[in-house]
Amino acid sequence: MSTILIRNGTLVTMDPANTIVRGDLLIAGGRISGVGGSGQNADTVIDADGCAVIPGFVQTHIHLCQTIFRGAADDLALIDWLKQRVWPMEAAHSASSIKASARLGVAELIKGGTTCALTMETVNHTAEVFKVVEESGFRATVGKCMMDKGDEVPRALQEQTASSIEESLALLDEWHGKADGRIRYCFAPRFAISCTRELLEKVAELARARGVMIHTHASENRTECELVQQESGLRNVTYLDSLGLSGRHVALAHCVHLSNDEIKTLKTTGTNVVHCPSSNLKLGSGIAPIVQLMEAGVSVSLGADGAACNNRLDMFTEMRTAALLQKALHGPEVLPANRVLRMATIDGARAMGLDTQIGSIETGKRADLALVRLDRLHATPVSDVISALVYSAEAEDVDTVVIDGRLVMRDRKLLTLDEQETIADAGRESQRLTGDLS
Ligand SMILES: [Zn+2]
């Protein structure tokens, strides 16, 4: 594998003792092999003058299959949003529309500096998403959505418990650990009200036995929380915990409505919370108690959720929104820029069990990096690099992206996906999907 030298960069390492390092960064064999210093030679030399070199963003809650639903499900609350728009569109997906959607999502993520995602797909055609992750060079932990319960679920999304598990295990066997470990599998039961107790218990047992993550939604919306309470007699997080869906290998997206006991459970079990501030605001779900969770020592990372409810997959938007929301609630001192940048990088990597491999700039780690131009009008002057990244920068400022030591974007040109073709395919497939539904 070729070597890459990133020259003259401002390296944002995420090492608390030495966060900003000026100098060169060398990549060899897919790994970071030198940080700081100068004078090395390499097959490819990239000038990073005017750029911050950061660990690629890690988004811990995404739905690639929903990218082509962008703009087709606006201005609805969660349950109506699911029943009236998202489930019918997921049910209408074909292999080719899923592929177009996943390509559009991965292209947008890479162009905004995200190099790794935890993603929940739909019930069918998840193999297409894995193929897109493989061909694009992206890093992802992907799960087939599991749904064996619920009313008003379209026929194509209704599953039998046994076949849902069987299909998930087949995908796990085929894809987990592929592409040198860049691709991983997770179990992805949709949420408590879409899954039987039997399915959730089996998932809890299998995830532990097979050493993979569980990725689900929890306590996003008040109606959802009331339904879980009616059916189980327990609060949502307490119910999931009682079935074994808690622990360091579990990621719960949203966690907007929590009791103090649930926060304690999240802490004692080491369960990861994924904060999706834009999605929570747009669906009118509420504001997650991020400051309380962090003060309690709960793991919190960030995700854009899907394009159907955000409508962008942009970590800069999520970082800024997360910080501003909590400041409005608790005062300007909370969630300073360096804390938010950690949530967007190393904390996300840790939530995915990948913090020994990615999430910071350290010799020996896999080379997942983004070069962000800070010599732009809206970021000038740069009095503090981290402040510029969190409060001023935007996705368009990402210039070059490396994943697993491979250049996937240079000078804003995607190298593993054809941008024009991706846009054209997504437009065509979304028209076909909405045409089928009208
Ligand atoms: Zn979601």
Side-chain angles (χ1 to χ4, degrees), residues 61-63 66 78 81-82 120 190 215-217 220 253-254 276 279 283 304-306 309:
H61 185 59
I62 290 284
H63 302 266
Q66 293 178 6
L78 178 68
W81 175 85
L82 282 169
M120 175 188 290
R190 185 157 218 137
H215 177 200
T216 188
H217 298 97
E220 175 175 2
H254 306 304
C276 307
S279 165
L283 291 173
D305 206 348
C309 62

Side-chain angles (χ1 to χ4, degrees), residues 64-65 67 97-107 121 128-129 132:
L64 291 173
C65 69
T67 322
S97 63
I98 291 256
K99 186 198 271 185
S101 187
R103 279 187 177 156
L104 182 68
V106 169
E121 296 310 313
E128 298 303 319
V129 176
V132 169

Side-chain angles (χ1 to χ4, degrees), residues 246 313 320:
S246 56
L313 308 180
R320 189 179 149 91

Side-chain angles (χ1 to χ4, degrees), residues 69-306:
F69 307 162
R70 197 190 323 265
D74 292 336
D75 312 324
L76 292 165
L78 178 68
I79 305 296
D80 290 337
W81 175 85
L82 282 169
K83 289 183 177 175
Q84 294 174 20
R85 299 281 207 282
V86 171
W87 286 349
M89 288 191 286
E90 284 194 13
H93 251 318
S94 64
S96 68
S97 63
I98 291 256
K99 186 198 271 185
S101 187
R103 279 187 177 156
L104 182 68
V106 169
E108 185 185 356
L109 289 165
I110 292 173
K111 290 209 89 167
T114 294
T115 53
C116 177
L118 177 62
T119 174
M120 175 188 290
E121 296 310 313
T122 186
V123 169
N124 307 304
H125 310 299
T126 304
E128 298 303 319
V129 176
F130 279 107
K131 289 180 203 162
V132 169
V133 173
E134 188 173 40
E135 71 174 15
S136 64
F138 194 62
R139 187 185 301 282
T141 300
V142 181
K144 174 200 121 58
C145 182
M146 306 173 88
M147 296 174 76
D148 69 337
K149 180 168 154 277
D151 49 71
E152 295 177 61
V153 177
R155 225 187 151 75
L157 301 184
Q158 291 174 16
E159 294 187 288
Q160 297 300 314
T161 311
S163 59
S164 179
I165 290 164
E166 217 171 277
E167 228 186 284
S168 300
L169 286 172
L171 287 163
L172 190 164
D173 287 336
E174 190 177 350
W175 290 99
H176 187 62
K178 253 198 158 175
D180 272 341
R182 188 162 55 72
I183 299 173
R184 297 167 75 90
Y185 193 75
C186 63
F187 286 102
R190 185 157 218 137
F191 60 164
I193 53 181
S194 279
C195 299
T196 59
R197 179 184 289 264
E198 184 193 355
L199 179 112
L200 294 173
E201 280 175 341
K202 194 72 193 161
V203 162
E205 179 194 319
L206 284 169
R208 285 202 164 83
R210 302 295 298 265
V212 300
M213 289 191 71
I214 299 172
H215 177 200
T216 188
H217 298 97
S219 306
E220 175 175 2
N221 166 288
R222 284 194 196 282
T223 312
E224 169 210 355
C225 293
E226 282 161 17
L227 285 168
V228 176
Q229 180 111 30
Q230 275 168 25
E231 286 177 9
S232 70
L234 297 171
R235 301 224 16 131
N236 201 347
V237 170
T238 312
Y239 173 60
L240 294 175
D241 178 50
S242 76
L243 302 177
L245 276 86
S246 56
R248 295 193 185 285
H249 65 298
V250 177
L252 303 182
H254 306 304
C255 292
V256 174
H257 305 285
L258 298 172
S259 68
N260 288 337
D261 281 350
E262 287 176 294
I263 294 177
K264 256 182 231 156
T265 301
L266 292 167
K267 163 62 185 157
T268 51
T269 56
T271 306
N272 302 285
V273 169
V274 186
H275 183 35
C276 307
S278 299
S279 165
N280 296 160
L281 287 173
K282 186 158 181 284
L283 291 173
S285 301
I287 302 176
I290 297 308
V291 166
Q292 292 94 316
L293 285 165
M294 286 181 158
E295 279 172 358
V298 176
S299 147
V300 182
S301 49
L302 290 171
D305 206 348

